[in-house]
Amino acid sequence: MTAMVHARSDAPESLIPAPARSARTWLVVLTACAGQFLVVLDVSVVNVALPSMRADLGLSTIGLQWVLNAYSIAFAGFMLLGGRAADIFGRKRTFLVGLGLFTAASLAGGLAQEGWQLLAARAVQGLGAAVLAPATLTIVTAAVPPGPARTRAIGTWSAVGAAGGAAGGLVGGVLTDLLSWRWVLLINVPVGALVLLGAAVWLTESRNGAGRRLDLPGAVLVTGGLASVAYGIVQTEESGWAASATLLPLLGGLALLALFVAVEARTKAPLMPLKVFRSRAVSAANVTMMVCGSASFSMWFFMTVYAQNVLGYTPLEAGLALIPSSVSVIVGSKLAPRFMARAGATNVAVIGALIAATGFGWQSTMTADGSYLTSILGPGILMMTGVGLAATPLAALATAGAEPADAGLVSGLINTSRTMGGALGLAVLSTVAAARTGGGTGPGELAAGYALAFRTGAGVLVTGAVLMLLLLPRRVEP
């Protein structure tokens, strides 16, 4: 795999002091992680700002949902295309283009004067995120040689990405309460500019797909298929699972994905060579990442609405209440490499999933008059420590089984699995919660609905742990 880091000197790499090489390597890793933090943060950061957006721009209830959905659909739909673009056109170039697009769209969204302008900006944000996200993991794995150091780097990438999702409620609450909803988007502009500057200085170009062409028919089919499936999933919240507005895009998306597989099996230069799934590590890690992501992504949403709708917390108080959980997912991700060296990646992933399932089970005992210690703090720490422990080995297993020329694609694939799993899980668990409440809006009914969603999530995580034991390889060479 081509190295991403080169000293800016005419001297051979071997003559550059090791501390300088190490410092530059970790600057590259941190730059890539900062990009990943931004794109994951924006999945959830707007949640607490939605009422303010509605009041300011006159958005309807459906329009308000699409502030979230426009981003997630574009993000999931274009991820594989972004991953292959990184392989063909270069990781640094793709990183800069994706982050630049994301930053510009954040500025446009923050300055929006009409609802449609905000929705369009969120869709472009999602497109930029889809181009950027696969490049971040590829840059990390290319910058650090195989072995314990790479495992630690992937642990850092996992921790920062998880922290982005965890910090969304807090960052959104602080910015909305102290400034305005616009700063939920505008804050990306100075941060994005700094990361762009760091990337321009510290990253050097590399690619492993030089000379290959982008498979446009495959790109259209997979992007359309994933976007259609994602659209169908988010429609369930409004229309239910049996409505034509849900079934038509879901079935149409699945048909496009099936056609995509048929095209990829016959084309000479496929967007996604089906051979990547011959690697047990790649295929199994993506399956289990999707299953576990379906529960873990939903956790932040239900914890936030439980704190606000049942316990009566303000947006800022809800964000502050979840800080220990946010710290826990970082701790779990950073501890994972140490445990992986002793127990193996698969065992650590299984243990992490089971710890998270235990936390979900505890959280499902919530009541309308629950205390902070037993209804938010304790279960939140357990859930997120487990999620952090599971995510790092799954990402490491997926990327370890990839050929160098497919590194960007495999990085996009693992991100797609996590994002699509999260979208599907939130839709399913929201339906479960709504069925339990029976239309009731009182604290008792809402708490019962959220509790059932967490019990269901615990079952999903246990299923994920079983799949890991059955599917994940016991040993993968780095």
Side-chain angles (χ1 to χ4, degrees), residues 393-404:
L394 290 177
L397 285 167
T399 54
E403 296 292 333

Side-chain angles (χ1 to χ4, degrees), residues 3-415:
M4 289 298 301
V5 185
H6 302 282
R8 297 184 180 278
S9 168
D10 294 330
E13 183 78 11
S14 60
L15 298 181
I16 300 171
R21 292 200 306 271
S22 177
R24 183 173 289 277
T25 296
W26 283 100
L27 284 173
V28 170
V29 170
L30 291 177
T31 299
C33 288
Q36 178 72 358
F37 179 87
L38 284 175
V39 301
V40 177
L41 177 75
D42 266 66
V43 174
S44 60
V45 72
V46 300
N47 285 345
V48 297
L50 291 176
S52 299
M53 292 177 176
R54 183 177 196 172
D56 197 13
L57 299 179
L59 289 166
S60 65
T61 300
I62 295 176
L64 213 59
Q65 292 176 341
W66 278 98
V67 174
L68 304 175
N69 297 341
Y71 183 86
S72 60
I73 289 174
F75 191 14
F78 288 93
M79 195 94 72
L80 287 182
L81 184 60
R84 180 51 89 198
D87 290 329
I88 295 176
F89 302 115
R91 285 72 183 265
K92 176 179 179 178
R93 182 180 301 171
T94 305
F95 184 95
L96 293 174
V97 169
L99 183 55
L101 191 61
F102 177 87
T103 304
S106 297
L107 177 62
L111 298 178
Q113 300 301 309
E114 301 287 343
W116 69 267
Q117 295 172 350
L118 176 60
L119 298 183
R122 287 287 287 170
V124 177
Q125 258 193 317
L127 174 60
V131 174
L132 172 61
T136 63
L137 182 55
T138 310
I139 288 170
V140 168
T141 56
V144 185
R150 177 180 289 179
T151 303
R152 290 195 299 272
I154 293 175
T156 300
W157 178 87
S158 297
V160 170
L170 174 61
V171 173
V174 170
L175 293 175
T176 303
D177 280 1
L178 298 184
L179 297 172
S180 78
W181 69 263
R182 296 184 181 277
W183 278 98
V184 170
L185 299 173
L186 291 176
I187 192 64
N188 292 328
V189 178
V191 176
L194 288 175
V195 178
L196 278 169
L197 178 62
V201 172
W202 293 317
L203 301 186
T204 56
E205 191 59 275
S206 77
R207 72 189 75 182
N208 288 103
R212 299 179 62 172
R213 293 184 177 182
L214 192 63
D215 172 23
L216 290 180
V220 171
L221 288 172
V222 73
T223 300
L226 288 173
S228 183
V229 169
Y231 175 82
I233 289 171
V234 300
Q235 281 294 102
T236 61
E237 298 182 33
E238 177 188 347
S239 305
W241 286 93
S244 58
T246 299
L247 291 177
L248 287 177
L250 280 176
L251 295 176
L254 292 175
L256 287 175
L257 292 176
L259 184 58
F260 166 71
V261 172
V263 169
E264 297 304 280
R266 298 179 180 180
T267 188
K268 292 182 178 180
L271 174 69
M272 186 178 71
L274 300 183
K275 66 179 182 180
V276 301
F277 293 106
R278 296 174 189 167
S279 167
R280 184 178 174 185
V282 172
S283 55
N286 276 278
V287 169
T288 51
M289 179 68 88
M290 180 174 288
V291 171
C292 292
S294 67
S296 61
F297 265 49
S298 305
M299 174 266 183
W300 296 114
F301 172 78
F302 285 111
M303 289 288 279
T304 301
V305 295
Y306 171 66
Q308 295 183 69
N309 296 343
V310 177
L311 300 184
Y313 290 17
T314 66
L316 179 56
E317 289 171 341
L320 291 172
L322 294 178
I323 286 180
S325 302
S326 305
V327 173
S328 297
V329 75
I330 298 172
V331 171
S333 298
K334 294 301 290 179
L335 288 176
R338 299 182 184 181
F339 296 148
M340 288 164 63
R342 298 180 180 181
T346 296
N347 290 333
V348 174
V350 170
I351 292 170
L354 292 177
I355 291 174
T358 302
F360 270 69
W362 184 359
Q363 187 65 61
S364 72
T365 64
M366 65 172 64
T367 61
D369 56 353
S371 69
Y372 172 68
L373 290 178
T374 59
S375 294
I376 293 181
L377 180 64
I381 289 175
L382 207 57
M383 284 187 285
M384 287 298 100
T385 301
V387 168
L389 284 172
T392 298
L394 290 177
L397 285 167
T399 54
E403 296 292 333
D406 297 323
L409 172 67
V410 172
S411 299
L413 190 60
I414 196 70
N415 274 291

